[in-house]
Amino acid sequence: MIRLVITSLCVVTLSICTAVPPLGYERRVLREIFDKRTTNSSASSCTYDEAPTTTAPKANVWAPISAEDNLAVWNLLHEPASGMNLTHPDDAVLTDNYVFWIDTLHTNKSDVLPYIDGSGSLPTKYARAIIFEGGKADPDSQEYMIGPLPVSADTTIEKLDYMYNGGSGGSVPFNARYFDGPKTSATDPLVASVMGNISDVTAALFQGGVYFGSLDERTTLSPTSGTPQSFDGSQAFRNIMFRFPGPATYMTPLDFFLLIDCTGTDASLYSLKGFVTNEKFYASIEELRNAFDAGELAQVYDQTQDASWAFVDYKPELGVRELEERLAPSTLEIGGKRYKLDKENQYVEYMGWSFYISFTRTLGVMLYDIKFKGERILYELSMQEATAQYGGNQPKAANTVYHDTYYSLGTDAGPLVEGFDCPWGATFWNLSYHSTNTTVTNENSLCIFEADMNFPLSRHRTASSSSYGFSNLGTVKGAQLIVRNIATIGNYDYMFDYAFHMDGSLEVAVRASGYLQSSFYYPDQDKWGPRIQQATQGSLHDHILTFKADFDILDTINSLQVSELKAVPQSQPWFPELGEFEQLELDTSRMQTEQQFNWAPNNQAMYTLLNPNATNAWGEPRGYRIVPGRSDIHLSTLNSPWSLKNSEFAKSHLAVTVQHDTEPYANSVQNINLPHAPQQDFSKFFDGESVDGADLVLWFNLGMHHFTRAEDVPVTLYTEAYSSITFAPQNFFDRAQDGDLLNRRWIEVDEDDQLTFEAYGVALPACRVSFGEPVEHVGGVVES
Ligand SMILES: *[C@@H]1O[C@H](CO)[C@@H](O)[C@H](O)[C@H]1NC(C)=O
Ligand SMILES: *[C@@H]1O[C@H](CO)[C@@H](O)[C@H](O)[C@H]1NC(C)=O
Ligand SMILES: *[C@@H]1O[C@H](CO)[C@@H](O)[C@H](O)[C@H]1NC(C)=O
Ligand SMILES: *[C@@H]1O[C@H](CO)[C@@H](O)[C@H](O)[C@H]1NC(C)=O
Ligand SMILES: *[C@@H]1O[C@H](CO)[C@@H](O)[C@H](O)[C@H]1NC(C)=O
Ligand SMILES: *[C@@H]1O[C@H](CO)[C@@H](O)[C@H](O)[C@H]1NC(C)=O
Ligand SMILES: *[C@@H]1O[C@H](CO)[C@@H](O)[C@H](O)[C@H]1NC(C)=O
Ligand SMILES: [Cu+2]
């Protein structure tokens, strides 16, 4: 047994800090206090040493484009000579051409492999830019690729069509393009005029709530509309729900909906479609007013105006928990950091693992060239889409499907609080994206840390009649490196974890916290979720997080093996008394063609990506198994008009395709308003290509069926809203990859009952002063 005693010095230090909330403060103060109070220099290294540095074998070819490149691309696009005829977004109206955003275009794998695996030249870097072209005769949104970068005389601006399979390339109809500020503003006069006309009605129904326009000082209601806002780009609509404004507005919805048609660029043609309240539809102002005058619109429940109940702060009214004033247990890298970083190249090495990190404004954090012990496992591992689809007997919930890449999910990766979001002493990196001609940095929004798994990786006790109860006992410490970020996309805080385990397995986990998109409480709408507050219903919904795992098990020639567990009738001559009896056996085959597929019932099929040309010492093909984790689900609705053909990637647990430079992404970022005529239709990837001995991409979904509950107030809890998957070696090696770890104990008891204890030199070294004297003993024998 090894016990670490925390001295009062440390406890005082930490509790001073936890009383001081501002972001970043804690990290700095803690470091200062450790430095000042600690006389033993080796002791101060416990938690706050920087990670040792390393040098990436190759430049990070996936890295985001730099601030300089963004500025140069921005300037190039705006040069009159480019012929783009652009207005500055701040001054733009619907009928102008202007830049929506600029981001990094993925680098083609076929260009990357010769560079990272050989002496090929550094692949050419390109930017992608979405330009809203309201100034064209047939207005649309058109995406462009700009390169080579850095900008030079050779740099061209070309339409970026090649990666979209919907038939119109990078062009998205005006009605389906992202509903940005100018487009929303264009609908405001109609909304203001209609709502102004009935302000006496809304004031009577909603505690004085009125809407006279977004900039009108009398306005006390906040309009919100989700997506989709078009079906196929030939129409546009907003199904607006009103809420009380404020920081917890998601939790204070009202029973009032305004439906408008906003097709086209001429706002004077936008029109009222009707109102919904009390689960009834009123097609005109007159109908609504008549119902109001007849006393038919009374509200049974009042929404709360003060939503402080929905803040994630301390709530003393919940009572006191004994000993909760003490600091909770914490992960501390007390042996010093065991991972190496090349910050310049965003490259990480840990216990045999190595990988590069990239980032885009749409997809967030992406991992590339993931190797274990020098052998490639994955070329790319990245989140592709975060979908959420809701249900309810009113226009907002029924209408809502989100694709969070549409909202540039990566830009929502916010600062992480040390000690809470990530352990004290973790490495914090910034994530940056571009906005107009500038670059925005989200500080400390990515963290990297090694954590105790809090269970041994492996152990065995060989029982014996010795006085210790065993003849030998081996136990290996469980540790993992985690790369984490949390993106707050409007209401939700999605936490993405990539965990690298000592045994060569890799786990992807997503958790969701944050506010529900809630609805007004209707007593007869229980089938869409429970009442969770005075006038609020937690709306039932699905979250589906789609990931791309481009496996390269050793090289790009891989197969997908399916090993089905079958219960079969058999007879064996040495059991004549049984005749035929049921036994299990493996029915092993290889998947033949590209397809979407699901986890087998009772998980009775094992899916393994393997290299058909490589075997381990035992002659078995070397592979990685896809191990189902928690809540591996797909979208519940397969035929909803709101997610008909633009969300196909969310509709199966798994999918396998052949890797193509033209199929880099599962979705397109402006697909959400095109459910009936998608810009990108994932199901078209499955065109019968052979996946036996090919460069394979595995697509997988994590997610949660969100069965909402009172405990989603104030926010959803990460304990339960949690989904994961693991990739684990399957005959990839000749034995488990734990034999080479020194963080273990091997205890033997000989025939004379003498105990020997092997610690392999790994004890509690540098933290004696900061964290107190270690007390180490086993079976009464003090460890040396
Ligand atoms: C340039 O864009 C403006 C709108 O911003 C439009 O009125 C004008 O016709 C466009 N010029 C050309 C040559 O397309
Ligand atoms: C309010 O709407 C009604 C019905 O459309 C219309 O007759 C009336 O003129 C409007 N009032 C104002 C002040 O716009
Ligand atoms: C993050 O950005 C801030 C401000 O731009 C900078 O001072 C800091 O050094 C950056 N952190 C890292 C780890 O690069
Ligand atoms: C970015 O654009 C603004 C105008 O929108 C301009 O004032 C500023 O100088 C530009 N920045 C750079 C670095 O060119
Ligand atoms: C990637 O490959 C596709 C298909 O060959 C090609 O059309 C495209 O231009 C390439 N993109 C880049 C950035 O080289
Ligand atoms: C590698 O595997 C492929 C597909 O199974 C096969 O066609 C090829 O002959 C193999 N190559 C070698 C060198 O074994
Ligand atoms: C400082 O720490 C080292 C390593 O834990 C230890 O060997 C040494 O005795 C300590 N020195 C003092 C002055 O406490
Ligand atoms: Cu949810």
Side-chain angles (χ1 to χ4, degrees):
M1 280 261 287
I2 296 169
R3 197 157 58 90
L4 178 64
V5 177
I6 300 194
T7 65
S8 58
L9 163 68
C10 190
V11 171
V12 169
T13 304
L14 294 168
S15 59
I16 285 170
C17 295
T18 51
V20 187
L23 277 179
Y25 185 79
E26 220 164 278
R27 182 170 164 74
R28 185 162 47 79
V29 168
L30 257 186
R31 185 193 292 268
E32 278 167 11
I33 289 174
F34 273 124
D35 288 351
K36 203 159 55 198
R37 298 284 287 275
T38 304
T39 50
N40 191 330
S41 61
S42 63
S44 66
S45 73
C46 291
T47 314
Y48 286 96
D49 260 5
E50 297 281 325
T53 56
T54 185
T55 304
K58 295 278 169 120
N60 185 339
V61 293
W62 307 276
I65 59 166
S66 65
E68 295 71 34
D69 283 339
N70 175 66
L71 176 60
V73 168
W74 171 271
N75 288 338
L76 178 71
L77 290 170
H78 287 80
E79 266 174 25
S82 75
M84 306 293 289
N85 186 21
L86 299 181
T87 303
H88 194 281
D90 292 347
D91 309 322
V93 295
L94 292 185
T95 48
D96 290 326
N97 307 319
Y98 57 98
V99 174
F100 175 36
W101 51 243
I102 298 170
D103 200 6
T104 311
L105 180 62
H106 76 285
T107 308
N108 281 334
K109 185 176 179 182
S110 58
D111 291 334
V112 172
L113 289 182
Y115 172 73
I116 59 170
D117 289 340
S119 53
S121 55
L122 193 67
T124 309
K125 207 79 194 160
Y126 281 79
R128 59 191 284 204
I130 291 183
I131 298 187
F132 288 163
E133 299 185 331
K136 288 206 301 205
D138 188 8
D140 71 349
S141 157
Q142 174 67 49
E143 190 162 354
Y144 294 88
M145 57 191 278
I146 301 102
L149 300 181
V151 169
S152 70
D154 298 334
T155 302
T156 60
I157 305 168
E158 286 172 76
K159 285 190 177 177
L160 175 50
D161 293 332
Y162 72 83
M163 63 188 191
Y164 299 113
N165 63 22
S168 303
S171 167
V172 170
F174 175 86
N175 287 315
R177 79 178 206 198
Y178 181 83
F179 243 81
D180 65 342
K183 210 169 163 187
T184 305
S185 302
T187 65
D188 201 48
L190 173 65
V191 177
S193 136
V194 170
M195 292 299 288
N197 191 305
I198 56 162
S199 60
D200 56 323
V201 176
T202 58
L205 294 177
F206 305 110
Q207 307 160 64
V210 291
Y211 188 82
F212 289 103
S214 64
L215 301 174
D216 192 295
E217 282 173 4
R218 295 167 295 169
T219 291
T220 56
L221 295 177
S222 162
T224 176
S225 50
T227 52
Q229 291 170 306
S230 179
F231 290 115
D232 59 8
S234 67
Q235 72 293 96
F237 47 81
R238 288 186 75 194
N239 297 332
I240 297 169
M241 175 169 75
F242 287 89
R243 301 191 288 219
F244 285 139
T249 183
Y250 293 105
M251 298 298 268
T252 53
L254 299 171
D255 177 29
F256 200 80
F257 306 86
L258 168 64
L259 282 54
I260 63 167
D261 183 291
C262 49
T263 304
T265 53
D266 183 352
S268 70
L269 302 176
Y270 296 173
S271 61
L272 172 70
K273 292 168 78 177
F275 305 91
V276 176
T277 183
N278 266 323
E279 302 179 70
K280 287 194 199 72
F281 180 68
Y282 303 95
S284 65
I285 292 178
E286 289 85 351
E287 278 187 30
L288 183 81
R289 191 169 283 287
N290 290 343
F292 177 69
D293 291 344
E296 289 164 15
L297 298 189
Q299 293 283 307
V300 181
Y301 302 92
D302 273 346
Q303 186 51 273
T304 55
Q305 301 253 26
D306 170 11
S308 58
W309 53 268
F311 292 174
V312 189
D313 58 357
Y314 178 59
K315 302 287 189 231
E317 64 271 24
L318 261 62
V320 172
R321 295 206 209 182
E322 217 180 333
L323 302 183
E324 226 293 305
E325 73 282 4
R326 296 185 178 179
L327 179 71
S330 297
T331 279
L332 296 170
E333 290 164 286
I334 56 176
K337 291 205 169 41
R338 309 199 311 153
Y339 53 92
K340 292 176 157 190
L341 301 173
D342 176 346
K343 185 159 166 277
E344 186 75 12
N345 280 302
Q346 304 268 295
Y347 171 79
V348 182
E349 287 176 358
Y350 168 69
M351 296 292 143
W353 287 104
S354 65
F355 57 92
Y356 294 81
I357 298 176
S358 184
F359 175 79
T360 63
R361 68 175 291 135
T362 53
L363 305 189
V365 170
M366 309 166 83
L367 305 182
Y368 285 95
D369 194 16
I370 300 174
K371 290 181 172 173
F372 187 67
K373 296 192 171 178
E375 294 181 308
R376 185 167 301 139
I377 312 296
L378 288 145
Y379 172 79
E380 176 185 346
L381 177 58
S382 57
M383 199 231 46
Q384 295 288 307
E385 192 53 83
T387 304
Q389 178 153 15
Y390 292 73
N393 189 34
Q394 35 91 342
K396 178 69 174 17
N399 162 201
T400 299
V401 184
Y402 292 124
H403 286 172
D404 284 342
T405 65
Y406 171 83
Y407 299 102
S408 287
L409 169 146
T411 64
D412 296 322
L416 299 163
V417 180
E418 186 174 20
F420 294 82
D421 295 331
C422 312
W424 275 295
T427 297
F428 290 85
W429 279 354
N430 299 336
L431 297 170
S432 297
Y433 63 94
H434 311 294
S435 175
T436 68
N437 62 354
T438 63
T439 294
V440 181
T441 296
N442 287 336
E443 283 184 43
N444 301 323
S445 51
L446 176 83
C447 72
I448 302 171
F449 58 92
E450 189 185 13
D452 189 344
M453 294 205 315
N454 293 311
F455 57 87
L457 178 61
S458 49
R459 69 101 67 187
H460 185 64
R461 174 179 65 101
T462 304
S464 82
S465 58
S466 81
S467 60
Y468 298 95
F470 59 88
S471 58
N472 66 54
L473 190 163
T475 181
V476 184
K477 187 145 188 66
Q480 60 190 324
L481 187 83
I482 296 181
V483 177
R484 170 175 296 169
N485 75 102
I486 301 179
T488 307
I489 309 109
N491 53 327
Y492 261 110
D493 296 61
Y494 281 117
M495 176 161 81
F496 299 99
D497 274 5
Y498 296 94
F500 297 83
H501 293 280
M502 306 292 288
D503 62 341
S505 63
L506 199 176
E507 191 174 355
V508 183
V510 181
R511 290 175 173 81
S513 190
Y515 290 128
L516 292 175
Q517 174 180 297
S518 55
S519 298
F520 190 78
Y521 171 61
Y522 307 89
D524 65 338
Q525 285 194 21
D526 243 24
K527 59 180 152 187
W528 288 289
R531 182 185 192 187
I532 57 168
Q533 243 287 341
Q534 183 173 304
T536 303
Q537 175 196 44
S539 285
L540 184 68
H541 59 278
D542 279 349
H543 299 266
I544 307 295
L545 291 299
T546 304
F547 286 79
K548 173 185 184 185
D550 180 347
F551 276 90
D552 280 0
I553 305 292
L554 305 171
D555 60 35
T556 55
I557 304 297
N558 289 180
S559 294
L560 177 57
Q561 189 180 63
V562 186
S563 308
E564 266 184 275
L565 265 179
K566 288 200 167 145
V568 291
Q570 285 192 343
S571 58
Q572 294 181 350
W574 41 87
F575 295 132
E577 69 277 23
L578 293 179
E580 267 205 346
F581 64 96
E582 193 179 76
Q583 259 230 120
L584 54 82
E585 67 177 38
L586 272 186
D587 181 353
T588 298
S589 61
R590 287 204 202 148
M591 214 172 257
Q592 290 304 304
T593 51
E594 294 183 310
Q595 58 194 278
Q596 292 189 260
F597 57 103
N598 287 329
W599 295 109
N602 198 35
N603 275 326
Q604 273 182 229
M606 170 172 75
Y607 298 109
T608 308
L609 269 303
L610 53 79
N611 189 313
N613 292 327
T615 50
N616 68 4
W618 319 117
E620 300 291 339
R622 301 181 64 187
Y624 258 69
R625 178 186 167 197
I626 316 305
V627 186
R630 181 141 147 172
S631 191
D632 294 340
I633 59 164
H634 62 67
L635 199 63
S636 303
T637 45
L638 303 182
N639 297 297
S640 159
W642 312 103
S643 55
L644 197 60
K645 291 301 288 176
N646 61 348
S647 305
E648 296 301 288
F649 47 82
K651 296 181 183 175
S652 65
H653 295 147
L654 299 158
V656 62
T657 63
V658 176
Q659 192 284 137
H660 292 295
D661 288 343
T662 50
E663 295 177 355
Y665 307 125
N667 197 18
S668 69
V669 298
Q670 291 190 90
N671 224 16
I672 192 62
N673 293 326
L674 290 164
H676 298 182
Q679 178 183 29
Q680 178 73 354
D681 181 349
F682 183 71
S683 66
K684 288 189 182 168
F685 283 12
F686 307 94
D687 52 2
E689 272 182 279
S690 167
V691 292
D692 192 14
D695 186 359
L696 300 188
V697 179
L698 181 89
W699 311 82
F700 64 90
N701 281 317
L702 302 182
M704 311 105 199
H705 298 300
H706 201 150
F707 303 100
T708 54
R709 53 174 179 163
E711 290 81 3
D712 284 309
V713 175
V715 294
T716 295
L717 301 165
Y718 281 139
T719 44
E720 187 263 344
Y722 165 30
S723 178
S724 67
I725 196 171
T726 300
F727 308 137
Q730 182 74 21
N731 303 316
F732 188 84
F733 300 104
D734 307 332
R735 53 150 298 146
Q737 298 303 290
D738 58 354
D740 50 355
L741 302 176
L742 293 170
N743 277 261
R744 69 198 308 136
R745 295 295 184 256
W746 175 246
I747 309 157
E748 285 180 299
V749 182
D750 68 14
E751 281 129 35
D752 304 325
D753 235 19
Q754 288 302 301
L755 181 140
T756 53
F757 186 102
E758 184 53 75
Y760 305 95
V762 180
L764 283 168
C767 287
R768 292 207 159 98
V769 174
S770 286
F771 296 100
E773 287 298 322
V775 180
E776 303 176 28
H777 57 90
V778 58
V781 179
V782 174
E783 194 181 334
S784 56

